[in-house]
């Protein structure tokens, strides 16, 4: 027998490793921006061609590299940031895994120019597919200038996975915003295909937020500022009237690192309690600083998820801090951000907190308050089920609650309609303002009114789009829509299809739009929230692979315009609804596969009654 195990050559090993770190242009952008930050740059410029697919270039004025370091930096596990495993728990830099440059060089053509202040000449290096093509001395400015071209040129399978330029650009802008929000004291610019997208002078946190997300926030931010022995929280939350229909502008940073945390998001949202308008999401940028020993940032290759030593305590602090900020705000609604820097600390949050006092705190009032069963956000130590509550809350506000009417209940009834010639059922009555009962022959149908309407509108809108004959109603007062750059990019992408549906939306400067007209069935005055909701739903659906982009949009619009459970319907409305339903091609299911109606026949009913 011959032996079968090979050691993979470095360039292949690097390509495989790159899969974790560099998924798309945006991941490379994040890594390169973070390297510039770690090099103490005060000005960082980002240039892109074709949303980073052709070129990503980052120029910084940081400390640069020596000739040897420049060469070393492309080796896998080459890092100047940690030396041993203990260092991992004292990390103050963005990078530490020493993988980014190696990964980038494995999947792109890279050119690096770098110079330290103390050196007369800098170093130029050209690498592609992990192979050094050229290395020579060069004259260049202090700092680092790195170009990566033709991302995934050597891995066509991955190149094919990239989305449209607009979609990749959205991802890049997201990453850029995260980094720029975390470091307002650094100048940043972003230029794509020669067009400047951002130019951000150094400033404070609030200035940076407004530069990035829009002037509409100028008077709408409430400061959050609490300091304790255990952690500090700074930043701001939007006043309730700044809340949005989309979940866009919500940012958490832990030790300057942007993180995603549904759990902490719940802490903020629950602090708003009844203050928020229905179906809206609070805006916030919150900066948590704590001893690096209290967090593990090495649980995820791109470090967007972290693990707190004690998550429940962080939750409690975040929630208390936001509540306190809001309480201050409602006492004096005209409070001005800049005057309000030294808010009194809440009793709860200002309790001294050290590692040794952990037990004491679990017995404290604050902790108890957050762990009581009758609290909306139940937190029980040592119990898995604690996760359920906030997950439900976070994950799917948009999902129609009644779509749960699925398998188990359906098993007791059958879809006789599945391949029938439909006969028009006769409407009998509406039940709890959500269902319609109709009879056909000796059977009766329990029709879910919202699902029925969703199906009808889905098929109707699809036809409208195909036939290019949408009917638009002019809005009486054209509504102005200001969006975050990410949402604006998305809306741009959707505009052609929205026009086909009857929306008339015009761009108006950067990231703003004017809604001139809507499909005939949108209520006047609702245009703005309609579009906001649409964007949110579209994002929510964007992982649904079974739909193409256009169907996704149609589905969102249909869902949004459908009559909802709770709406009382007159006889005529019910009759029309049922008639239109059974004129559909697929009346029995909603576009995403939930039942529209359940049919009961005599036999089954008798069985149920034990006869
Ligand atoms: P990490 O950031 O995890 O250390 P990278 O692969 O991103 O790993 O970078 C490797 C090393 O190259 C860094 O540790 C740093 O010493 C050096 N380096 C990378 N980018 C820059 C830069 N823009 N300026 C100065 N040094 C850099
Ligand atoms: Mg790095």
């Amino acid at each position: 027998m011959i032996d079968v195990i090979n050691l993979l050559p470095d360039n292949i090993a690097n390509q495989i490793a790159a899969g974790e770190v560099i998924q798309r242009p945006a991941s490379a952008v994040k890594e390169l921006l973070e390297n510039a930050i770690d090099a103490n740059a005060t000005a960082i410029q980002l240039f892109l061609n074709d949303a980073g697919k052709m070129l990503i270039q980052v120029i910084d004025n940081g400390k640069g590299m020596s000739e040897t370091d420049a060469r070393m930096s492309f080796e896998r596990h080459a890092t100047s940031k940690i030396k041993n495993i203990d260092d991992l728990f004292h990390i103050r830099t963005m990078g530490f895994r020493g993988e980014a440059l190696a990964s980038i060089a494995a999947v792109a053509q890279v050119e690096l120019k770098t110079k330290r202040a103390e050196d007369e000449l800098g170093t130029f290096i050209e690498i592609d597919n992990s192979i050094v093509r050229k290395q020579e001395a060069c004259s260049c400015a202090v700092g680092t200038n790195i170009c990566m071209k033709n991302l995934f040129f050597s891995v066509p399978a991955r190149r094919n996975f990239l989305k449209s330029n607009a979609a990749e650009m959205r991802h890049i802008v997201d990453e850029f915003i995260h980094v720029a929000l975390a470091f307002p004291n650094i100048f940043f610019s972003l230029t794509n295909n020669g067009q400047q997208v951002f130019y951000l002078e150094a400033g404070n946190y609030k200035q940076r937020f407004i530069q990035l997300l829009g002037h509409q926030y100028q008077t709408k931010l409430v400061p959050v500022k609490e300091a304790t022995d255990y952690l500090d929280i700074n930043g701001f939350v939007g006043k309730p009237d700044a809340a949005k229909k989309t979940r866009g502008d919500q940012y958490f940073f832990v030790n300057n690192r942007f993180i995603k945390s549904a759990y902490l998001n719940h802490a903020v949202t629950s602090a708003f309690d009844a203050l928020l308008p229905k179906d809206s999401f609070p805006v916030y940028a919150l900066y948590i600083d704590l001893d690096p020993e209290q967090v593990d940032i090495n649980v995820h290759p791109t470090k967007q998820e972290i693990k707190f030593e004690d998550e429940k305590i962080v939750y409690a602090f975040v929630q208390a801090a936001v509540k306190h900020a809001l309480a201050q705000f409602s006492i004096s609604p005209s409070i001005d951000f800049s005057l309000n820097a030294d808010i009194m600390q809440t009793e709860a949050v200002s309790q001294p907190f050290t590692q040794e006092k952990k037990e004491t705190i679990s017995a404290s009032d604050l902790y108890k308050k957050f762990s009581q069963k009758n609290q909306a956000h139940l937190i029980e130590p040592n119990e898995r089920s604690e996760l359920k509550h906030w997950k439900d809350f976070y994950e799917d506000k948009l999902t129609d609650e009644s779509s749960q009417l699925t398998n188990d209940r359906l098993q007791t009834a059958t879809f006789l309609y599945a391949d029938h010639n439909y006969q028009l059922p006769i409407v009998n009555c509406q039940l709890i303002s959500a269902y319609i009962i109709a009879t056909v022959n000796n059977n009766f149908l329990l029709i879910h009114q919202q699902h029925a309407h969703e199906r009808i509108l889905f098929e109707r809108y699809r036809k409208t789009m195909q036939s290019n004959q949408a009917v638009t109603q002019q809005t009486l007062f054209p509504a102005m829509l200001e969006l975050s750059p990410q949402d604006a990019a998305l809306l741009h992408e959707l505009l052609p299809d929205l026009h086909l549906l009857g929306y008339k939306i015009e761009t108006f400067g950067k990231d703003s739009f004017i809604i001139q007209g809507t499909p005939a069935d949108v209520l006047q005055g609702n245009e703005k929230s309609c579009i906001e909701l649409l964007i949110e739903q579209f994002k929510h659906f964007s992982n649904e692979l079974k739909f193409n982009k256009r169907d996704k949009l149609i589905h969102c619009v249909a869902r949004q315009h459908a009559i909802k459970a709770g709406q009382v319907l007159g006889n005529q409305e019910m009759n029309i609804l049922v008639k239109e339903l059974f004129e559909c091609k697929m009346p029995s299911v909603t576009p995403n596969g939930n039942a529209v109606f359940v049919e009961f026949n005599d036999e089954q009913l008798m069985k149920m009654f034990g006869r």
Side-chain angles (χ1 to χ4, degrees):
M1 275 300 256
I2 41 169
D3 298 328
V4 290
I5 298 179
N6 303 314
L7 269 184
L8 289 175
D10 269 0
N11 59 336
I12 297 189
N14 281 341
Q15 275 184 6
I16 294 172
E20 285 216 311
V21 189
I22 308 296
Q23 282 131 11
R24 50 173 15 121
S27 358
V29 165
K30 170 178 187 277
E31 295 296 337
L32 295 178
L33 292 177
E34 290 187 347
N35 278 351
I37 288 163
D38 287 341
N40 298 328
T42 57
I44 302 175
Q45 295 166 275
L46 168 63
F47 296 91
L48 308 167
N49 280 344
D50 287 357
K53 291 176 188 171
M54 300 305 293
L55 171 79
I56 298 172
Q57 179 176 26
V58 173
I59 304 179
D60 71 51
N61 64 352
K63 63 184 177 211
M65 285 178 261
S66 71
E67 188 187 341
T68 317
D69 284 351
R71 177 65 195 82
M72 269 291 281
S73 67
F74 291 101
E75 295 294 332
R76 196 137 54 99
H77 310 307
T79 180
S80 53
K81 298 165 196 174
I82 58 172
K83 291 204 169 61
N84 54 48
I85 201 70
D86 262 6
D87 293 346
L88 256 189
F89 296 92
H90 303 101
I91 285 281
R92 287 278 175 196
T93 51
M94 294 293 108
F96 57 82
R97 295 165 58 114
E99 295 174 314
L101 291 187
S103 299
I104 286 171
V107 293
Q109 295 160 337
V110 177
E111 288 170 25
L112 171 80
K113 271 189 203 164
T114 187
K115 189 171 96 88
R116 299 181 300 178
E118 63 264 42
D119 297 335
E120 201 170 315
L121 283 176
T123 306
F124 172 81
I125 294 182
E126 199 183 308
I127 297 191
D128 65 59
N129 203 7
S130 303
I131 295 164
V132 181
R133 300 275 177 218
K134 204 187 252 180
Q135 171 160 1
E136 61 194 24
C138 72
S139 59
C140 58
V142 173
T144 300
N145 178 339
I146 184 164
C147 272
M148 54 178 288
K149 295 179 185 162
N150 301 318
L151 179 60
F152 299 141
F153 76 107
S154 55
V155 207
R158 300 199 49 205
R159 196 172 180 96
N160 293 340
F161 268 105
L162 295 179
K163 301 266 169 54
S164 67
N165 283 1
E168 293 300 340
M169 194 61 197
R170 251 193 299 133
H171 288 288
I172 291 179
V173 168
D174 279 345
E175 295 292 357
F176 180 87
I177 286 179
H178 299 157
V179 173
L181 279 176
F183 296 92
N185 52 341
I186 298 178
F187 163 88
F188 287 94
S189 68
L190 193 174
T191 308
N192 183 39
N193 290 340
Q195 203 182 352
Q196 195 163 73
V197 185
F198 289 104
Y199 185 92
L200 308 171
E201 304 278 13
N204 62 26
Y205 284 106
K206 188 193 180 191
Q207 286 163 338
R208 180 54 56 89
F209 190 87
I210 288 165
Q211 282 173 328
L212 280 166
L213 301 161
H215 283 283
Q216 74 270 26
Y217 288 120
Q218 188 73 45
T219 55
K220 298 206 166 167
L221 298 176
V222 183
V224 176
K225 191 175 172 66
E226 308 285 354
T228 72
D229 286 356
Y230 184 58
L231 56 71
D232 296 349
I233 302 178
N234 286 291
F236 25 81
V237 292
K239 294 179 185 176
D241 66 341
K244 299 183 84 174
K245 295 284 176 211
T246 80
R247 194 181 277 140
D249 300 333
Q250 302 186 323
Y251 305 95
F252 270 113
F253 301 87
V254 173
N255 295 346
N256 286 328
R257 190 184 300 282
F258 170 80
I259 58 146
K260 287 186 181 149
S261 170
Y263 186 62
L264 294 185
N265 177 66
H266 184 259
V268 178
T269 310
S270 70
F272 271 83
D273 212 19
L275 288 172
L276 281 179
K278 197 170 164 287
D279 292 330
S280 46
F281 302 95
V283 169
Y284 58 83
L286 292 170
Y287 300 83
I288 297 169
D289 289 292
L290 76 176
D291 185 338
E293 279 197 38
Q294 295 294 324
V295 279
D296 185 354
I297 40 188
N298 197 29
V299 294
H300 191 263
T302 66
K303 314 184 199 88
Q304 285 209 345
E305 283 160 31
I306 61 171
K307 207 172 157 312
F308 289 103
E309 176 74 23
D310 195 330
E311 205 171 36
K312 296 181 199 82
I313 286 175
V314 180
Y315 182 105
F317 281 156
V318 168
Q319 192 193 43
V322 173
K323 273 193 175 162
H324 182 225
L326 290 170
Q328 293 281 127
F329 155 67
S330 56
I331 295 165
S332 42
S334 62
I335 210 153
D336 173 59
F337 186 90
S338 45
L339 294 179
N340 200 35
D342 46 9
I343 276 187
M344 297 270 294
Q345 294 168 9
T346 46
E347 210 183 306
V349 177
S350 61
Q351 303 273 336
F353 190 92
T354 57
Q355 182 70 6
E356 300 83 70
K357 288 187 183 162
K358 222 174 207 171
E359 279 101 280
T360 341
I361 208 114
S362 359
S364 80
D365 276 359
L366 171 73
Y367 191 80
K368 277 196 203 126
K369 203 167 109 209
F370 290 112
S371 50
Q372 269 163 19
K373 279 202 191 282
N374 56 359
Q375 295 284 314
H377 39 78
L378 169 61
I379 305 173
E380 278 175 314
N382 310 325
E383 211 190 290
R384 288 271 134 233
S385 70
E386 79 194 37
L387 295 178
K388 190 173 175 302
H389 218 91
W390 63 267
K391 264 207 165 138
D392 289 351
F393 175 90
Y394 180 80
E395 270 172 1
D396 210 355
K397 265 196 156 177
L398 296 163
T399 302
D400 158 17
E401 62 288 350
S402 38
S403 67
Q404 304 306 336
L405 180 110
T406 41
N407 299 340
D408 20 336
R409 279 211 256 164
L410 285 179
Q411 269 153 19
T412 62
T414 46
F415 283 116
L416 294 185
Y417 264 86
D419 35 39
H420 263 200
N421 272 335
Y422 297 107
Q423 192 181 337
L424 193 61
I426 301 159
V427 170
N428 287 54
C429 63
Q430 192 186 21
L431 208 64
I432 56 170
S433 310
Y435 300 94
I436 295 168
I437 295 190
T439 48
V440 59
N441 303 328
N442 272 340
N443 304 331
F444 75 85
L445 306 179
L446 185 61
I447 304 173
H448 191 284
Q449 68 189 39
Q450 180 174 343
H451 287 186
H453 203 208
E454 239 176 84
R455 164 52 63 188
I456 296 167
L457 293 178
F458 182 77
E459 294 197 7
R460 184 188 300 162
Y461 291 148
R462 228 190 198 170
K463 254 190 229 151
T464 310
M465 253 199 192
Q466 280 156 3
S467 66
N468 210 348
Q469 285 179 337
V471 184
T472 300
Q473 65 177 348
Q474 291 290 327
T475 39
L476 289 178
F477 306 100
M480 168 92 163
L481 193 63
E482 285 177 71
L483 297 176
S484 65
Q486 308 99 296
D487 288 351
L490 176 59
L491 186 56
H492 270 296
E493 207 181 320
L494 297 177
L495 276 187
D497 281 344
L498 283 170
H499 288 161
L500 286 177
L501 279 171
Y503 283 95
K504 218 172 136 216
I505 300 174
E506 283 162 17
T507 50
F508 182 72
K510 199 167 145 289
D511 307 333
S512 298
F513 299 83
I514 290 188
I515 309 170
Q516 302 275 17
T518 57
D521 46 5
V522 173
L523 232 54
Q524 290 270 331
N526 268 353
E527 301 84 4
K528 199 172 150 207
S529 55
C530 250
I531 299 286
E532 285 177 351
L533 198 62
L534 198 67
I535 293 172
E536 177 61 20
Q537 290 195 334
F538 190 84
K539 286 196 261 189
H540 181 76
F541 277 144
S542 54
N543 297 328
E544 292 249 3
L545 295 173
K546 64 187 169 194
F547 290 112
N548 62 31
K549 184 174 126 215
R550 185 172 275 190
D551 275 355
K552 237 184 265 173
L553 179 69
I554 297 175
H555 185 184
C556 290
V557 178
R559 191 176 240 216
Q560 189 181 110
H561 294 181
I563 52 166
K564 303 291 183 300
Q567 189 164 333
V568 180
L569 300 176
N571 267 339
Q572 203 188 352
E573 289 169 305
M574 288 193 278
N575 279 315
I576 295 176
L577 191 79
V578 171
K579 178 169 174 293
E580 289 184 342
L581 176 66
F582 288 99
E583 284 166 1
C584 285
K585 287 199 189 120
M586 292 182 63
S588 59
V589 286
T590 63
N592 61 341
N594 292 317
V596 170
F597 56 83
V598 182
E599 178 166 2
F600 299 85
N601 63 25
D602 240 6
E603 209 177 301
Q604 290 169 318
L605 285 177
M606 291 210 288
K607 253 196 215 152
M608 285 182 203
F609 289 105
R611 304 197 54 119

